Every structure is written in C-alpha cells, then in structure tokens.
Amino acid sequence: MFVVYLDDSDSVSSAVLTIGGYLGTLEAWQRFEALSEPLWAKYGIKILRGKDFHNTKGEFAGWTRETKLRFTHELYLIAGANLGCGISRSI
C-alpha cells in the first residue's frame, strides 16, 4: 500500500496549477510522522499549508527567510531519509 500527501498551488491567482507531494509506503509515512513530530512541535506547526508558508501567513506569520530555510532543511532531511520520492506536476 502506498500513501500520498499532496498540496496544490493557488489556482485562483495563477493560470498554472501545480500539485506536489511525497510518495511512500504506509510504514514509511508512519516512520516519517514519528520522526517529524518533534520538528512540528519545535516550530509550533499543526499543518503545513504551502500557500501560507510561501506567503508567511497563518502558522508561518512572522517567520524570517532564515527560519523558513532552516525548517525546510530539517524537514527534507527527514523526508529524504524515509520517503520514496517527491513528485510535482504542473498544467
């Protein structure tokens, strides 16, 4: 069984629709979720919404560029070590 989590772009403000996410087995996602839970707590995040992250809104309000880079680096290290692959498609 494979599990996929995806996030789409803001199709209201752009003619291009992009969807992206990661693919992994159920066991890989369970491992990722367990290992990334302390990271979510460290940064005070409950849900990662791409539009909010990009626009520094919602849970990411007040974040500096450096904080965003540090968070994504830490998150990608966990994802890269545990999930099969990242995917992205645009139309």
Side-chain angles (χ1 to χ4, degrees):
M1 168 187 259
F2 284 97
V3 178
V4 180
Y5 289 102
L6 300 169
D7 187 19
D8 67 336
S9 62
D10 180 13
S11 61
V12 174
S13 64
S14 176
V16 177
L17 173 66
T18 299
I19 192 162
Y22 278 88
L23 174 70
T25 64
L26 179 59
E27 294 80 14
W29 275 109
Q30 289 171 334
R31 210 171 37 253
F32 169 80
E33 289 172 355
L35 291 170
S36 66
E37 192 172 305
L39 183 65
W40 301 114
K42 173 182 174 181
Y43 286 92
I45 300 169
K46 291 189 171 83
I47 188 167
L48 176 56
R49 185 168 183 244
K51 182 178 177 181
D52 287 347
F53 182 80
H54 178 74
N55 293 316
T56 317
K57 304 245 185 235
E59 295 189 65
F60 308 99
W63 280 33
T64 64
R65 183 175 189 271
E66 291 75 23
T67 302
K68 287 181 173 184
L69 289 171
R70 192 170 46 253
F71 169 74
T72 54
H73 176 74
E74 291 177 50
L75 184 63
Y76 290 158
L77 285 175
I78 298 168
N82 293 282
L83 300 174
C85 67
I87 56 173
S88 175
R89 295 293 179 256
S90 298
I91 56 170

